[in-house]
Amino acid sequence: MVQQDTTTAWNRIVEEGVRAYVDRLSDAESIHISEQYGTHNYHPLPVNVVRADGIRVYDGEGNEFLDCIGCYSAVAHGHLSPFIVKTVEEQMEKVTLVSRAVYSSELAVFLKAICDYSGMDMACPMNTGAEAIETCIKLARKWGYTKKGVEKDKAEIIVADGNFHGRTTTIIGFSSEPQYMDLFGPYGPGFVSVPFDDIGAIDAAMTSNTVAVMMEPIQAEGGIIVPHDGFLAEVCDVCARNNVLVIWDEVQTGFARTGRRFAWNHEDAAPDLMAVGKPLGGGLFPVSAALGKRDVMDVFVAGDHGSTFGGNPLGAVIAIAALAEMEVHGLADRAEAMGRRMMNGFLDLALPQIKEVRGKGLLIGLEVQNVDGAQLTQRFLDHRVLTKETRNHTFRFAPPLTITEAEIDEVVSRVGAAIRSLDQ
Ligand SMILES: Cc1ncc(COP(=O)(O)O)c(C=O)c1O
């Protein structure tokens, strides 16, 4: 068992290094300690990952898994992209953390790069996706009061049923998933939820107090729900007619995942504000941001918003490297081509248990029917494929965008074998 005497453990950690101490743990010990000392707010697969490389991860016994979870779309560049790792190593010799009380060249380059990449005018750097969403909510409300003339504290934001924007108390307050909300209230007002992919419902929900419509261009956690072609542009039109901001939550769909830089790039649907995160951290580190047009972003004045770690030099260089690699390696085009290959592969399996295959690029949902979800998850594991069920009996496949044709074929063949094994 792991060293129980903490005094001895501290000494050993300092003498041998953290790496050697952690490496001593078996998979079973790791799982046991995690269950004992960690809150049970996740239900992990029984896999203890000790090493990762490209689209593959390994447990302590050397078993290799194809990682189709990709840290919920955060690992776009493959695990431990050599260029991003090298960037970190170089940065470790300069500076990693300063506060926003001072300027930093790393942050300056990052701000310019993310605006160039996204076509937005300004950026507010944060760390997690939920913080980026909170930032967008604050920006939209203040814009409503100071520029649209909405009466103070009356601003409304239209959101979609089935949304997932993170886990803060403000955000879960407008979730439609009972488990995210129950027993965590009371919640603040100011959000109106309408059916997703229903432009008439958005139009009908508009009032003079509406400041924004905030939605995911594809609902990912909600079960990979892709709206009809043209929906994003229709949202932009309705919002423009009502002097209301469009906020796209691109935390999961952004940065090449769906085959374009952002999912809204599939249509003429540029937002006023957008939240980004996940792959911006290059698969190494949390980096997020709220991005937007200048006349919205400039409502923030000193003291309105902030984050101790947001925009730190280490995160900034990682994000610059992540953006550069995405562009130079053409990850959006790869995602489109590899996504098509994976979706066609799943369909060609022609299995009665596969009800539908949907998605865009490498954000793919495999909806199953007449199977036990937990049992199928285990069969996927037995065939060394990491994937988890989202809502609606839909397994999400969001592997790193660096996945090769041969690796796609391997995933498809293992998925087929796993589903067929249910009959045995
Ligand atoms: C669309 C979307 N928005 C926001 C978030 C929250 O991001 P984070 O977990 O980094 O706070 C997620 C996380 O899965 C997401 O999928």
Side-chain angles (χ1 to χ4, degrees):
M1 267 306 285
V2 70
Q3 182 58 256
Q4 293 288 335
D5 177 344
T6 51
T7 313
T8 315
W10 298 131
N11 288 336
R12 269 173 96 165
I13 286 168
V14 171
E15 278 160 22
E16 300 172 7
V18 176
R19 184 68 273 139
Y21 190 81
V22 170
D23 280 347
R24 201 170 280 123
L25 232 60
S26 70
D27 289 343
E29 286 169 339
S30 166
I31 291 171
H32 175 76
I33 293 170
S34 302
E35 291 298 325
Q36 191 179 350
Y37 291 100
T39 53
H40 294 167
N41 52 325
Y42 278 92
H43 183 53
L45 301 170
V47 177
N48 185 52
V49 173
V50 300
R51 190 166 67 82
D53 179 18
I55 80 145
R56 290 159 206 273
V57 297
Y58 302 84
D59 68 14
E61 288 169 9
N63 294 309
E64 175 193 285
F65 297 84
L66 300 177
D67 183 8
C68 291
I69 299 176
C71 192
Y72 301 115
S73 306
V75 181
H77 305 77
H79 289 282
L80 297 175
S81 144
F83 176 60
I84 302 177
V85 170
K86 180 166 160 275
T87 302
V88 171
E89 285 167 358
E90 286 168 359
Q91 190 62 29
M92 296 307 248
E93 307 198 343
K94 294 279 287 184
V95 56
T96 57
L97 190 60
V98 293
S99 68
R100 295 294 307 277
V102 295
Y103 287 93
S104 118
S105 301
E106 290 83 358
L107 177 56
V109 175
F110 165 59
L111 292 171
K112 172 83 166 49
I114 187 76
C115 287
D116 285 349
Y117 184 93
S118 63
M120 297 285 115
D121 300 324
M122 296 178 94
C124 182
M126 290 281 131
N127 311 284
T128 63
E131 286 172 293
I133 290 290
E134 291 275 351
T135 307
C136 289
I137 292 170
K138 285 176 70 174
L139 284 162
R141 285 178 173 169
K142 190 164 179 192
W143 173 86
Y145 301 133
T146 58
K147 302 219 173 169
K148 180 168 174 173
V150 172
E151 191 187 333
K152 192 160 166 264
D153 294 339
K154 292 279 194 286
E156 288 169 8
I157 295 177
I158 297 173
V159 296
D161 298 348
N163 69 71
F164 184 83
H165 298 288
R167 307 279 195 159
T168 64
T169 46
T170 296
I171 293 172
I172 57 166
F174 56 84
S175 172
S176 45
E177 184 65 14
Q179 204 212 333
Y180 295 164
M181 301 188 72
D182 281 357
L183 306 179
F184 299 117
Y187 300 114
F191 298 95
V192 179
S193 193
V194 301
F196 185 56
D197 196 16
D198 183 342
I199 198 68
I202 294 176
D203 210 3
M206 292 277 181
T207 73
S208 55
N209 291 332
T210 308
V211 295
V213 170
M214 180 170 78
M215 288 179 186
E216 300 150 83
I218 295 173
Q219 289 191 329
E221 300 299 312
I224 319 293
I225 311 296
V226 184
H228 70 267
D229 284 347
F231 174 67
L232 306 183
E234 289 165 16
V235 172
C236 292
D237 282 350
V238 171
C239 287
R241 272 192 275 117
N242 288 278
N243 189 24
V244 160
L245 304 178
V246 175
I247 307 175
W248 294 135
D249 179 345
E250 291 269 3
V251 169
Q252 182 140 185
T253 48
F255 301 116
R257 171 65 50 191
T258 71
R260 298 285 187 280
R261 285 186 180 180
F262 297 101
W264 62 261
N265 290 129
H266 286 279
E267 299 179 20
D268 183 14
D272 301 285
L273 286 173
M274 61 196 274
V276 296
K278 293 191 191 252
L280 194 53
L284 265 73
F285 200 74
V287 182
S288 73
L291 312 174
K293 294 184 178 162
R294 189 168 297 276
D295 67 326
V296 184
M297 302 298 281
D298 69 8
V299 300
F300 270 173
V301 296
D304 271 357
H305 195 55
S307 155
T308 302
F309 290 97
N312 69 77
L314 184 59
V317 293
I318 288 172
I320 298 163
L323 290 170
E325 186 158 307
M326 249 167 322
E327 279 303 277
V328 171
H329 292 183
L331 289 193
D333 290 345
R334 281 194 65 78
E336 176 144 292
M338 293 304 116
R340 201 176 310 116
R341 191 178 182 95
M342 185 177 269
M343 285 207 264
N344 287 338
F346 287 154
L347 289 170
D348 288 347
L349 291 171
L351 292 168
Q353 295 93 336
I354 296 181
K355 185 173 171 202
E356 195 183 8
V357 180
R358 53 178 183 264
K360 266 198 178 139
L362 278 168
L363 185 59
I364 295 172
L366 180 78
E367 185 174 343
V368 293
Q369 58 189 356
N370 305 325
V371 298
D372 178 83
Q375 198 186 6
L376 183 53
T377 305
Q378 184 56 50
R379 296 300 170 100
F380 284 142
L381 271 189
D382 295 342
H383 289 80
R384 304 287 185 249
V385 175
L386 293 189
T387 171
K388 278 203 104 176
E389 227 178 330
T390 63
R391 283 172 239 164
N392 308 322
H393 301 293
T394 300
F395 285 84
R396 177 193 0 215
F397 289 80
L401 309 183
T402 49
I403 191 167
T404 62
E405 285 186 1
E407 286 166 336
I408 293 273
D409 297 348
E410 204 177 334
V411 170
V412 170
S413 131
R414 291 190 197 189
V415 162
I419 296 175
R420 277 188 218 100
S421 77
L422 291 169
D423 298 332
Q424 288 149 20

